[in-house]
Amino acid sequence: MMDVFKLFFNYVGIFFVAYLIGYSTFLLLAVLVGSSELYGTRRKRLLKNEIKEDIEVPVSIIVPAYNEEITIGSTLLSLLELEYKTYEIIIVDDGSTDKTADILISNAQMHKTAKPIHKQLRCCSEESVWETFDYKVPVTLVCKKNGGKADALNMGINIARYPYYVCVDADSILQYDSLQEIVRPVLENENVVAVGGAVRPCNGCEIVNGRVKKYKLPRKILPCMQVLEYDRSFLAARLLFDKFNGSLIISGAFGLFKKDVVIAAGGYDSQTMGEDMELVVKLHVYCREHGRKYLIRYACNAICWSQVPESLKDLAGQRRRWHIGLFQSMMQHRRILANPKYGTVGFLSYIYFLIYELFSPYIEVFGVLTIITAFTVDLINVPFMILFFLIYAVYSSVLSLTAFFARVQTTDLTISFTDVLKAIALCFFETTVLRFILAWVRMAALIGYRKKKETWGNIERKKIQIK
């Protein structure tokens, strides 16, 4: 019996070594590519060698909102301060039960209109439409029956007047030059159908006229660790996938899309929690199946500042929804897997997301349970295991810190020495503790998910410091 245990643990050990080598190699390549891209972009900017265009792409900004009375005013003000000429703002109130609509109507002095809506995408019916032309760009508010975020986005697309639209979360602030940056790939290549922006946590930041006046890490530990996590994800992984047109996700907090292609592909799926990822995968499928030349890009300098959860309960709820959305998107488009028809998307992107995103919490939890079992039967070299784990943790921490400091330096932000020490200390804690907590959360995400698959996520909001 003991020989069977030894054989089992040997195979498990080989699997986990291969698994960690694969992930570590990906992370190294991602950070190197991401850092190189950021420094290259900064060098061009310093040498004034960027493409300058007098032509602007007309853009409709769509803001889906549900019970956002605390942040919606700040979000609208930030959108009105963007350094861009041709755009409109569309806010879709998806049946809020608070004063989201009342605040907008009162503060923006909006008036009711009988504006017709040509519904090219299916969505719940509107209850009222409000407009104002008192600002530099038109602002529209659509109040509709509750149907979920995807349904609200479809409504926004239906009423949008411009060929490209940007989706922005109602708790987010766009940087002053974010529209200029996110449309740049469209100006460079006409085949671009979608562009993802960089999302950065704004907890603890002070933003004035769309510019970060004061940047510091959040006081609380949990959002501080998410700052490190976001920079590693948005800087590294997404820039690497961008190199071979393999991006499978554009954050719902900030992304640009070509409207007619989205409509032709069927719009957002209201039956999934991960409407942002599902749409991007759907665009890959639609364009390849219809023989359309296309690019899905990532604009690392198009920055959106967004609030991240400050409590473990809110963070767990957010990651649970993200994992459910990932599962729904991958299962719905599983025919992509290793299918030559979809090129690198099927052979690289899909397989990576399958192993290191969808299955990863189960693999990691299984690894922990295996270690505990091996320890109880005295079949584990404890000093070697601890050393191996510490090497991996330090390696991951160094790469995360590289991504974080590369982002800070190349965006001309300054942080205090205290924040430097905080980042170094918490990076190791995020790798060794928070990662495994969230692995348990994600592992249990699919239990009973169908009951709440179309609901909005409720996260405690705080008023963003904006002047």
Side-chain angles (χ1 to χ4, degrees), residues 123-138:
C123 61
C124 292
S125 60
E126 69 279 8
E127 296 177 337
S128 60
V129 180
W130 303 75
E131 288 183 329
T132 180
F133 297 93
D134 294 341
Y135 302 96
K136 69 173 186 176
V137 297

Side-chain angles (χ1 to χ4, degrees), residues 4 34 81 97 118 120 148 150 219 256-257 272 338 400 440 456 461:
V4 175
E81 292 171 349
T97 57
H118 178 45
Q120 296 176 279
R219 291 187 218 173
L256 172 78
F257 298 89
T272 178
S400 295
W440 282 98
W456 286 74
R461 307 295 191 198

Side-chain angles (χ1 to χ4, degrees), residues 315-334:
L315 179 60
Q318 180 195 66
R319 298 310 166 88
R320 176 182 176 275
R321 291 190 300 275
W322 286 5
H323 200 71
I324 292 172
L326 173 66
F327 168 77
Q328 292 172 326
S329 298
M330 299 201 73
M331 291 303 100
Q332 187 168 336
H333 300 285
R334 56 186 176 275

Side-chain angles (χ1 to χ4, degrees), residues 353-394:
F353 274 87
L354 188 68
I355 297 175
Y356 291 106
E357 295 292 343
L358 184 61
F359 290 160
S360 65
Y362 304 96
I363 294 173
E364 292 168 12
V365 171
F366 172 72
V368 172
L369 295 177
T370 302
I371 291 173
I372 294 173
T373 304
F375 179 78
T376 58
V377 296
D378 197 26
L379 284 176
I380 190 169
N381 185 328
V382 176
F384 175 79
M385 181 201 69
I386 294 175
L387 179 62
F388 183 81
F389 179 76
L390 287 176
I391 291 174
Y392 171 73
V394 171

Side-chain angles (χ1 to χ4, degrees), residues 139-151:
V139 180
T140 303
L141 167 66
V142 182
C143 298
K144 61 181 286 293
K145 294 180 180 179
N146 181 263
K149 184 177 180 180
D151 194 84

